[in-house]
């Protein structure tokens, strides 16, 4: 199920959250007005669930999740 996703979370990531998210794998974080956009390559469903669990542990408020053809950086 290799896919690319765009996650939108409320507000800006703290330094701790940004470090944890970037350290998780192949992804890109971009700040936008009132939210943070995370572009991520997801190799399988287990990786997706782990990433969602990380967001929950970090207390991130996910606004949206969208599967996309590929990340903008690709």
């Amino acid at each position: 199920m290799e896919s690319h996703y765009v996650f939108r979370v409320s507000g800006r990531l703290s330094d701790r959250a940004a470090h944890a998210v970037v350290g998780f794998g192949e992804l890109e974080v971009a700040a936008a007005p009132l939210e943070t956009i995370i572009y991520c390559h997801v190799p399988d469903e287990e990786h997706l669930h782990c990433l969602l669990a990380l967001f929950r542990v970090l207390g991130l408020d996910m606004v949206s999740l969208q599967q996309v053809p590929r990340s903008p950086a690709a």
Side-chain angles (χ1 to χ4, degrees):
M1 172 196 107
E2 187 168 312
S3 301
H4 291 88
Y5 286 87
V6 175
F7 302 90
R8 292 180 180 270
V9 297
S10 298
R12 302 291 173 106
L13 298 184
S14 67
D15 289 342
R16 176 181 162 264
H19 182 72
V21 169
V22 170
F24 191 79
E26 188 179 327
L27 52 84
E28 179 183 336
V29 177
L34 305 177
E35 65 185 3
T36 300
I37 303 169
I38 303 167
Y39 303 96
C40 185
H41 168 255
V42 179
D44 56 37
E45 191 171 337
E46 181 180 352
H47 191 90
L48 176 61
H49 288 282
C50 289
L51 190 55
L52 293 172
L54 175 64
F55 291 172
R56 188 172 37 254
V57 166
L58 293 171
L60 302 180
D61 180 25
M62 191 177 343
V63 174
S64 70
L65 163 64
Q66 180 180 10
Q67 188 175 5
V68 295
R70 64 188 174 99
S71 73

